[in-house]
Amino acid sequence: DQNYVTVDMNTFSMFLDGTIHLPKKSVLITIDDGGQGVKEVAIPMLTEYRMHATVFLITAWYQPSEYENEYIECHSHTHELHSPGACPTEKGQGGGLLCLDEETIKQDLEASRNTLHGSTVIAYPLYDYNDYAIEQLKKNGFTLAFIGGSKKAQVGGEHYKIPRFPVSTSWSFETFVDVVS
């Protein structure tokens, strides 16, 4: 009702690179994991209102064919590296991209990309990333990677540290409106 535009990943990528301008009221909607009511609630609602969104799927848990339609696209949340405690860390939850050996990461990312028809976009599992994780994504052909960060993405921003606002069920509608506007 407020004339917001939802964009797909390709449009967002062109915005990030500065090749296109977006209307002031533009939003990239992302949903992590694939469970918790995505198929039953989010996708029907997004489709009804013709809003584009990206679902970052854990491909060992969910298949993209269950989600894709003309408004929904699926990208990687790894194949099965979404488990806390795989790597020691002082900050974060210890996701496997932080420290597992290159071959394990390569196999996981290949499985995810193959399941997702070659997608080169990923959201870090558990919001965990470091220089090693970024290096592994680059080596394995990924071009965009999303973090948390609770700030807006900007033209010319880093391709492997794209910020997002993790929306919480504890947010009031007023908080949501403040963040989006």
Side-chain angles (χ1 to χ4, degrees), residues 147-152 163-166 171:
I147 62 175
S150 296
K151 60 182 183 177
K152 294 180 180 180
R164 306 183 283 167
F165 282 89
W171 283 17

Side-chain angles (χ1 to χ4, degrees), residues 2-162:
Q2 300 299 314
N3 298 314
Y4 278 83
V5 175
T6 57
V7 298
D8 62 21
M9 193 59 68
N10 186 53
T11 303
F12 173 78
S13 179
M14 290 187 296
F15 160 78
L16 190 66
D17 289 340
T19 57
I20 64 167
H21 296 283
L22 292 175
K24 184 175 173 88
K25 291 184 171 186
S26 297
V27 178
L28 174 68
I29 298 173
T30 63
I31 303 168
D32 287 2
D33 303 346
Q36 302 168 337
V38 174
K39 289 187 291 189
E40 300 82 7
V41 179
I43 290 176
M45 185 181 303
L46 292 163
T47 303
E48 176 182 350
Y49 292 104
R50 299 179 182 177
M51 298 171 66
H52 294 278
T54 291
V55 178
F56 288 113
L57 285 181
I58 304 167
T59 55
W61 301 358
Y62 308 104
Q63 292 300 307
S65 59
E66 301 176 52
Y67 300 84
E68 293 171 327
N69 70 33
E70 65 183 302
Y71 299 103
I72 309 302
E73 58 187 286
C74 297
H75 294 286
S76 182
H77 208 35
T78 72
H79 186 64
E80 41 185 358
L81 295 181
H82 196 279
S83 299
C87 299
T89 182
E90 293 178 19
K91 178 181 143 189
Q93 298 180 58
L97 283 177
L98 298 176
C99 74
L100 295 178
D101 65 274
E102 288 188 19
E103 187 59 30
T104 299
I105 292 173
K106 177 183 177 183
Q107 289 176 5
D108 184 273
L109 295 176
E110 281 180 0
S112 179
R113 285 189 66 188
N114 289 339
T115 303
L116 295 166
H117 316 295
S119 172
T120 62
V121 179
I122 191 168
Y124 294 99
L126 311 166
Y127 302 110
D128 283 351
Y129 68 93
N130 59 15
D131 290 342
Y132 178 74
I134 293 169
E135 176 187 334
Q136 296 310 306
L137 293 180
K138 288 178 179 179
K139 282 182 178 181
N140 288 283
F142 283 82
T143 58
L144 298 175
F146 287 79
I147 62 175
S150 296
K151 60 182 183 177
K152 294 180 180 180
Q154 302 291 323
V155 172
E158 294 187 56
H159 283 214
Y160 295 91
K161 296 180 187 176
I162 302 167

